[in-house]
């Protein structure tokens, strides 16, 4: 049985995932997800899996059961594939397998001159809000631990340079679904307060992005809006204009 995200103790709790997923794979799902695309947006049931060895798998369908079947078929293709990784337009290290279409961070990020002072991307802001994005995805001794930790350190310094002064992350790996971890809660509070008080605008869509990058960018922006609305409601603060424009109601 895989690791089930904590929100499913109450949200979409009737779905029982397949026992075929690895025991160290974290899964989550939803009956109504919104995908924000470059040309159009659409609603769908979805199922997402986060294997312990890295990567991200998402399935979609008319029901959660069908979405999980779609995700598991992708997982099986990934596990059976002799991967050939390519950047496919990604500059942050993300890669797409040219054979099976799987996604993983497999290469070094491409850094541009002056990138330290570039505006924060939607992924960077989401990482600040979630906290876990600043901790290494791999345990000490793993061949990718040192490089991954270096990337996370750069991200922390980028956030601080832009005014979001987050504390040093713990050495432990934090699950991307553990929203109640003390470090995650502290990062979310600092980042939301900064964005609301400074009137920080939402990041713009990446230019000349491919389909997958546009998809993940849309997911990040949706996650940021949801976190900001929740934080405003918890602190009895009126939603800023850039959230109201997205159909949010003022508190």
């Amino acid at each position: 049985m895989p690791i089930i995200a904590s929100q499913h103790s109450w949200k979409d709790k009737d779905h029982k995932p397949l026992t075929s997923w690895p025991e160290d794979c974290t899964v989550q799902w939803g009956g109504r997800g919104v995908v924000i695309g470059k040309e159009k947006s659409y609603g769908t049931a979805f199922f997402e899996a986060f294997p312990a060895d890295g990567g991200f798998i998402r399935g979609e369908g008319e029901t959660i059961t069908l979405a999980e079947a779609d995700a598991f078929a992708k997982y099986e293709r990934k596990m059976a594939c002799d991967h050939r990784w390519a950047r496919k337009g990604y500059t942050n290290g993300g890669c797409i397998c040219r054979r099976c279409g799987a996604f993983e961070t497999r290469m070094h990020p491409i850094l541009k001159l002056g990138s330290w002072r570039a505006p924060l991307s939607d992924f960077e802001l989401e990482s600040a809000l979630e906290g876990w994005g600043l901790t290494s995805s791999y345990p000490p001794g793993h061949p990718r631990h040192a490089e991954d930790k270096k990337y996370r350190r750069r991200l922390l310094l980028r956030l601080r340079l832009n005014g979001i002064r987050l504390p040093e992350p713990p050495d432990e790996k934090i699950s991307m679904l553990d929203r109640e971890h003390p470090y995650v809660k502290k990062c979310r509070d600092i980042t939301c307060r900064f964005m609301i008080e400074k009137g920080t605008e939402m990041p713009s869509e990446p230019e000349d992005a491919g389909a997958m990058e546009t998809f993940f960018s849309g997911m990040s922006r949706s996650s940021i809006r949801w976190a900001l609305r929740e934080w405003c409601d918890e602190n009895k603060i009126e939603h800023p204009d850039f959230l109201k424009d997205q159909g949010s109601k003022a508190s």
Side-chain angles (χ1 to χ4, degrees):
M1 178 66 71
I3 302 169
I4 299 174
S6 59
Q7 70 264 26
H8 295 307
S9 61
W10 57 273
K11 182 177 183 292
D12 295 314
K13 63 181 181 179
D14 292 334
H15 181 74
K16 304 300 180 185
L18 298 171
T19 58
S20 308
W21 293 102
E23 292 184 355
D24 57 0
C25 178
T26 301
V27 296
Q28 66 177 8
W29 55 83
R32 292 188 305 168
V34 177
V35 179
I36 301 176
K38 204 163 188 178
E39 300 296 332
K40 64 178 181 178
S41 301
Y42 63 92
T44 181
F46 65 90
F47 188 96
E48 297 172 341
F50 307 87
D53 61 351
F56 167 78
I57 299 168
R58 177 182 169 98
E60 297 179 357
E62 294 184 4
T63 66
I64 297 174
T65 299
L66 291 175
E68 181 177 14
D70 181 41
F72 193 74
K74 292 177 180 177
Y75 172 74
E76 289 188 309
R77 287 199 299 273
K78 176 183 176 181
M79 297 305 295
C81 183
D82 180 16
H83 298 298
R84 295 292 182 268
W85 299 107
R87 291 187 185 273
K88 294 288 187 179
Y90 286 96
T91 59
N92 63 355
C95 294
I96 302 292
C97 176
R98 290 181 292 181
R99 291 183 171 178
C100 72
F103 174 85
E104 277 193 29
T105 299
R106 301 294 299 186
M107 298 184 184
H108 298 304
I110 298 175
L111 302 180
K112 297 181 180 179
L113 291 176
S115 61
W116 276 98
R117 296 192 175 277
L120 292 171
S121 68
D122 41 38
F123 175 76
E124 289 174 318
L125 277 174
E126 182 188 21
S127 296
L129 282 165
E130 299 298 341
W132 58 263
L134 299 168
T135 62
S136 179
S137 301
Y138 306 96
H142 191 283
R144 293 167 64 184
H145 173 78
E147 186 62 34
D148 186 63
K149 190 173 182 178
K150 180 180 177 182
Y151 167 75
R152 309 290 172 175
R153 180 65 183 174
R154 182 182 185 279
L155 174 58
L156 178 65
L157 295 178
R158 276 260 303 149
L159 291 166
R160 289 176 175 175
L161 183 65
N162 281 272
I164 304 178
R165 304 190 179 282
L166 301 182
E168 291 291 325
D171 292 332
E172 64 184 289
K173 177 183 177 182
I174 302 175
S175 169
M176 61 179 61
L177 302 178
D178 186 0
R179 302 188 72 252
E180 297 304 314
H181 190 284
Y183 183 75
V184 172
K185 293 173 73 173
K186 191 167 188 177
C187 287
R188 186 162 61 244
D189 183 68
I190 292 173
T191 305
C192 286
R193 191 175 301 278
F194 176 86
M195 292 186 69
I196 297 301
E197 292 181 353
K198 298 296 184 182
T200 305
E201 295 292 336
M202 289 290 296
S204 58
E205 292 187 12
E207 297 181 0
D208 301 322
M212 285 294 291
E213 188 171 1
T214 298
F215 170 77
F216 284 117
S217 178
M219 288 183 62
S220 291
R221 291 196 302 279
S222 295
S223 177
I224 293 168
R225 292 189 186 101
W226 182 84
L228 287 172
R229 289 169 184 158
E230 182 184 55
W231 186 86
C232 286
D233 292 341
E234 289 175 352
N235 291 276
K236 296 180 172 55
I237 296 174
E238 184 177 0
H239 294 189
D241 290 340
F242 68 84
L243 291 181
K244 294 177 186 177
D245 291 344
Q246 296 297 325
S248 173
K249 296 180 181 179
S251 307

